[in-house]
Amino acid sequence: MKTVLTNKNISIRTRRRALECYIEPILMYGCEAWTISKQTQKKLEATEMWFLRRMLRISWTAKKTNDTVLEEAHTTRLLISKIRKRQATFFGHVMRREKLENLVTTGMLEGKRSRGKQREKLIEGLTDWLKAGKSLEAIEAQRTGKSGGP
């Protein structure tokens, strides 16, 4: 795919569509179950910019900012919003079923918590993305079919 994605005779729009068709599904495989921390989000954004820089043949030493690269590619950062949208869809699917996945996602399991800092949950990431105040609001928004987000 390198020869297609870096070919200057093909329009940037077509190359971007090829990237979305062939590369991004591999990158986002299983993203519905990811918990995205700030560090992971930065790495995903850096990966997205790396793809664009490679497509436009811009070297790292060229000292072009990410904003200028995005303008040159006629696009915006979309990867994180695509992942969050997939997670919200999956969350809605899980919440409609009252099985083990629902219990695990909502964190309503019985027993003792593990020691140390608690892991970030999928529902917390979605709550931040949906800009809801509490996790329960996000659950209710998903149950009633009101989906938010950018």
Side-chain angles (χ1 to χ4, degrees), residues 9 32 36-37 72 81 113 136 145:
N9 294 329
E32 294 86 359
I36 299 177
S37 62
E72 201 171 317
S81 61
R113 295 182 348 174
L136 295 175

Side-chain angles (χ1 to χ4, degrees), residues 42-55:
K42 284 182 181 180
K43 286 182 181 181
L44 287 168
E45 288 174 351
T47 303
E48 185 176 18
M49 291 308 300
W50 182 78
F51 288 151
L52 290 175
R53 286 179 186 271
R54 290 288 298 223
M55 282 182 2

Side-chain angles (χ1 to χ4, degrees), residues 19-82:
L19 179 77
E20 290 173 3
C21 179
Y22 293 109
I23 308 298
E24 284 184 5
I26 296 167
L27 175 68
M28 296 191 320
Y29 179 76
C31 69
E32 294 86 359
W34 293 352
T35 52
I36 299 177
S37 62
K38 295 287 184 190
Q39 183 181 11
T40 309
Q41 183 172 343
K42 284 182 181 180
K43 286 182 181 181
L44 287 168
E45 288 174 351
T47 303
E48 185 176 18
M49 291 308 300
W50 182 78
F51 288 151
L52 290 175
R53 286 179 186 271
R54 290 288 298 223
M55 282 182 2
L56 297 171
R57 293 186 178 185
I58 298 172
S59 70
W60 289 105
T61 58
K63 294 192 177 184
K64 285 194 175 185
T65 63
N66 288 340
D67 294 331
T68 57
V69 172
L70 288 168
E71 286 175 16
E72 201 171 317
H74 307 293
T75 187
T76 58
R77 293 182 188 223
L78 301 170
L79 188 63
I80 297 296
S81 61
K82 286 180 184 178

Side-chain angles (χ1 to χ4, degrees), residues 95-134:
M95 292 310 296
R96 284 189 294 275
R97 301 180 70 205
E98 296 187 12
K99 303 252 179 182
L100 180 63
E101 299 94 1
N102 187 327
L103 291 173
V104 171
T105 304
T106 57
M108 306 278 185
L109 294 174
E110 294 181 18
K112 291 187 175 184
R113 295 182 348 174
S114 60
R115 291 178 54 187
K117 183 178 178 183
Q118 299 302 305
R119 292 182 181 173
E120 183 180 337
K121 298 176 190 151
L122 174 69
I123 194 167
E124 292 169 357
L126 281 175
T127 303
D128 292 341
W129 185 66
L130 292 170
K131 305 283 191 268
K134 297 180 182 177

